[in-house]
Amino acid sequence: MPLAVYILGLSVFALGTSEFMLSGLLPPLADDMNVSIPTAGLLISAFAIGMVVGAPLLAVATLRLPRRTTLIALISVFGLGQVAGALAPTYEILFASRVISAFACAGFWAVGAAVAIAMVPHTARARAMAVMIGGLSIANVLGVPVGAFLGEHLGWRSAFWAVGAASAVALVGVVTLIPRIPLPAEKPQLKRELTIYRDRQVWLSIAVTALAAGGVFCAFSYLAPLLTDVAGLDSGWVPTVLALFGVGALVGTALGGRFADAHLFGVMISGVIASTVLLALLALTASHPVAVITLAFLLGVSAFFTAPALNARMFNIAAAAPTLAGATTTAAFNLGNTGGPWLGGTVIDADFGFASTAWAGAAMTVVAIGLAALSLRYHRATAGSRVVAGSLVASSAESAGSAGSAGSAGSAGSADGHATVPRKPDTAAAPADR
């Protein structure tokens, strides 16, 4: 695995910490801003909305810009967004800072994912994405609990300052260790890349990803009040339980990355089924502290077990447009991260209680299972995964993987997220999509 892929994973640590740390900060933040917990929870949705909108917009806007320069600019804007959040005097300004930070985060994910996928062979795509998602998992293991600890002892604003500092470290890593990648000889064409959206498998992949992510984060977003108000734990337990979720996420990412390249649909469907069962158990045992703590760990495993497969699936069916494929996957995950907390807040406002968020999440994942099964049926009916617009563009991952991460000009062009050699539709994806 090229070193640059690990640098991208380290950068994602800062991004992921900011995205999810509010799950451990909602009570003190709500008190300080004089809003309800569901209203404070909308800050999680605000970040997710910014990711949904920002990923495709920035992917299109930066399509012809150097990848390294784009990554540097985006991680810089993200860091400044954290500073703005730390200094925000009102809820409205904090909300706006979250949206701006999310735009930058979305762009970094989209471009970074395209670069990571381009630098490895086709058979290692899920593992490359697992490295990036591993940064997100470590954020849940370390960053989110530390943010909750800082919020508990130094105020919620200290968590934003900490993420700003982590962003500065990530910026240094990108500047010094991500190689300069020249633009491809043939400029990428937006019209050609947009052809991925003609494929029903792309839309099914979007829906499955959004519902699978949304189901878990419908409950996870309100885990802190569930632990204290329903399970009866002291608030000091919140960072520990969030860390356990993160450990589970790290375990799930490692397992998913190991098996998804060979058994993509098997990993995807079994992981979502596991999340559904665990969410139902969480709803039934929410008043039992030991059960809630155990289930938080297992939910981290199941949710992130599916993540490499969900990412790789999109790149397999939309390999002709790797930047938009990365942006689309990012947007899909964050559609779930928007809808999940919103649905959770809705059932809480309806006086169903914090435990009801797990039932609502399970309803979302049940639909995801059905759509994943439908996608598998279509996949088998066509005797393999079609690559949209595959006749127009080469598989950038194969050329970059064979030439190395910083080799010839052809390799650099692929790492930029765009290949230039015409080829027939790629059927090599079929074995990886079992």
Side-chain angles (χ1 to χ4, degrees):
M1 196 67 61
L3 176 61
V5 176
Y6 291 99
I7 298 304
L8 292 171
L10 289 174
S11 301
V12 168
F13 168 78
L15 306 179
T17 299
S18 179
E19 182 171 5
F20 299 123
M21 69 181 181
L22 288 191
S23 298
L25 299 174
L26 288 184
L29 190 153
D31 288 342
D32 186 47
M33 289 291 180
N34 196 29
V35 297
S36 68
I37 286 181
T39 299
L42 290 178
L43 292 169
I44 300 174
S45 294
F47 196 98
I49 290 171
M51 293 279 283
V52 170
V53 177
L57 283 182
L58 285 171
V60 170
T62 63
L63 199 57
R64 300 187 179 188
L65 297 179
R67 303 293 87 183
R68 180 175 178 273
T69 301
T70 301
L71 291 175
I72 291 172
L74 291 171
I75 195 68
S76 299
V77 172
F78 176 82
L80 292 174
Q82 303 312 297
V83 173
L87 297 173
T90 66
Y91 174 84
E92 291 75 18
I93 293 177
L94 178 59
F95 192 98
S97 74
R98 294 292 288 171
V99 174
I100 293 170
S101 296
F103 262 68
C105 180
F108 192 97
W109 260 107
V111 176
V115 171
I117 287 291
M119 288 191 292
V120 299
H122 176 88
T123 54
R125 285 177 172 177
R127 277 182 288 151
M129 291 311 303
V131 171
M132 286 194 67
I133 297 166
L136 197 62
S137 302
I138 295 172
N140 280 284
V141 173
L142 181 62
V144 174
V146 168
F149 178 83
L150 291 174
E152 179 76 16
H153 295 87
L154 300 176
W156 64 268
R157 295 178 189 273
S158 64
F160 281 80
W161 284 114
V163 175
S167 302
V169 174
L171 174 61
V172 172
V174 172
V175 170
T176 58
L177 296 171
I178 298 292
R180 290 186 178 274
I181 303 172
L183 290 172
E186 178 186 338
K187 292 183 179 180
Q189 298 178 15
L190 176 60
K191 182 178 180 180
R192 185 171 65 189
E193 298 226 348
L194 288 174
T195 58
I196 66 171
Y197 298 118
R198 297 176 185 172
D199 192 298
R200 64 185 176 186
Q201 286 284 33
V202 169
W203 291 103
L204 281 172
S205 182
I206 291 171
V208 172
T209 301
L211 290 166
V216 172
F217 283 95
C218 181
F220 177 78
S221 298
Y222 300 96
L223 187 58
L226 185 146
L227 289 168
T228 56
D229 294 8
V230 181
L233 290 169
D234 185 82
S235 60
W237 273 92
V238 172
T240 301
V241 178
L242 291 175
L244 282 174
F245 179 92
V247 171
L250 193 59
V251 172
T253 300
L255 292 174
R258 180 179 179 84
F259 296 112
D261 282 309
H263 307 285
L264 193 146
F265 274 103
V267 169
M268 186 191 309
I269 295 175
S270 64
V272 180
I273 290 174
S275 292
T276 304
V277 173
L278 293 169
L279 286 167
L281 289 174
L282 179 62
L284 292 171
T285 62
S287 60
H288 301 281
V290 174
V292 173
I293 293 171
T294 303
L295 289 169
F297 167 77
L298 294 176
L299 267 175
V301 175
S302 67
F304 283 79
F305 178 70
T306 62
L310 292 169
N311 276 278
R313 174 61 179 162
M314 181 63 76
F315 280 100
N316 285 351
I317 59 178
T323 303
L324 276 184
T328 301
T329 305
T330 299
F333 272 107
N334 285 280
L335 278 172
N337 292 348
T338 302
W342 172 82
L343 181 60
T346 299
V347 296
I348 293 170
D349 283 337
D351 293 328
F352 287 108
F354 292 114
S356 64
T357 59
W359 284 123
M364 295 180 73
T365 55
V366 165
V367 179
I369 294 168
L371 293 179
L374 181 61
S375 179
L376 176 58
R377 179 181 177 184
Y378 287 149
H379 172 75
R380 287 174 173 171
T382 54
S385 176
R386 289 189 297 111
V387 176
V388 184
S391 60
L392 299 177
V393 70
S395 171
S396 58
E398 293 177 5
S399 61
S402 62
S405 62
S408 66
S411 170
S414 294
D416 194 53
H418 312 286
T420 60
V421 183
R423 57 175 283 172
K424 295 180 180 179
D426 187 357
T427 57
D433 283 356
R434 289 196 297 271

